[in-house]
Amino acid sequence: MPENIAKFLDHHYPILITAEQIQEKVQELARQLSADYAGKCPVFIGVLNGSFLFFADLLRHVTIDCEVDFIKISSYGEAVRTSGVVKVRKEIDCHIEGRHVIVVEDIIDSGLSVAFLEKKLSELKPVSLKFVSLLVKEGTAQVEYPCHYAGFRIPNRFVVGYGLDYAQKLRNLPAIYVLD
Ligand code: IMP
Ligand code: MG
């Protein structure tokens, strides 16, 4: 385990995506979503904990009426590899029947989380259900999964920062770093 955040801030670990690159991409995604959902008032659902920074940055650049809610799931525990079992830790509070829903994820790795969310949320009968993920790992999918808006496609490395954790830490780094 890397001792602390200072090592990352002091550049002992390589940056994969800089804070500036993230912000540019976030604005591009927000512009695209604002155009695609013009006149629709979608519900954005952030997937906790990993998406909290991306969600907040994305939403402040969205220029259409919308609502927000959160769902909390976990599949990793303290490990760096998915356990394969997705658990809901906090349910959504809003009613999404008849609504346009946009799920906001930090990263798609095996695809199990978003595949699980698609099945679960589609049972609640939204008019549309789309997925946005800041990061998508290449070559790691274990199942077919939905992803309609992808920020960056990245190699199969374990990354931290900008919401992404290792053992619950390092989420507050402003850039994305390679840990392994
Ligand atoms: P999946 O279900 O395997 O697609 O994994 C999705 C979840 O695992 C993400 O929402 C993250 O919370 C976590 N995750 C996957 N890869 C990484 C990584 O490289 N760093 C940190 N968390 C990750
Ligand atoms: Mg996540």
Side-chain angles (χ1 to χ4, degrees):
M1 169 66 191
E3 295 96 292
N4 54 45
I5 194 168
K7 283 217 163 180
F8 289 83
L9 296 171
D10 291 343
H11 309 295
H12 292 270
Y13 287 86
I15 286 192
L16 185 65
I17 307 170
T18 65
E20 292 73 25
Q21 289 172 317
I22 293 170
Q23 293 307 320
E24 259 179 51
K25 185 65 77 178
V26 166
Q27 290 180 36
E28 185 187 317
L29 289 167
R31 271 197 300 273
Q32 208 181 329
L33 288 162
S34 301
D36 292 357
Y37 287 85
K40 286 192 172 138
C41 196
V43 184
F44 285 87
I45 298 181
V47 184
L48 297 172
N49 289 336
S51 77
F52 79 111
L53 289 180
F54 175 44
F55 191 88
D57 285 346
L58 182 71
L59 267 288
R60 84 184 86 199
H61 293 290
V62 166
T63 54
I64 54 166
D65 277 321
C66 62
E67 295 175 23
V68 305
D69 201 356
F70 298 92
I71 189 165
K72 184 166 180 168
I73 60 171
S74 67
S75 62
Y76 270 41
E78 300 275 292
V80 293
R81 197 155 285 145
T82 179
S83 66
V85 182
V86 182
K87 287 199 182 117
V88 178
R89 306 282 176 189
K90 179 213 165 291
E91 295 278 359
I92 54 169
D93 295 316
C94 66
H95 296 285
I96 60 167
E97 183 171 348
R99 302 296 304 272
H100 293 281
V101 173
I102 303 164
V103 178
V104 180
E105 257 287 22
D106 51 355
I107 186 167
I108 299 174
D109 183 2
S110 69
L112 289 165
S113 299
V114 287
F116 169 87
L117 288 171
E118 184 184 46
K119 183 168 183 295
K120 177 181 170 64
L121 297 174
S122 63
E123 283 166 6
L124 300 172
K125 308 235 178 341
V127 181
S128 70
L129 178 59
K130 300 226 166 158
F131 289 79
V132 185
S133 186
L134 180 66
L135 307 175
V136 178
K137 278 192 201 173
E138 307 233 83
T140 55
Q142 291 178 23
V143 290
E144 254 186 63
Y145 62 79
C147 182
H148 308 89
Y149 301 86
F152 300 94
R153 304 207 174 260
I154 64 166
N156 183 15
R157 309 294 297 275
F158 195 81
V159 291
V160 294
Y162 197 66
L164 295 149
D165 71 305
Y166 175 72
Q168 298 306 327
K169 294 197 180 68
L170 306 171
R171 293 190 195 273
N172 52 322
L173 284 163
I176 294 169
Y177 294 74
V178 176
L179 179 66
D180 56 17

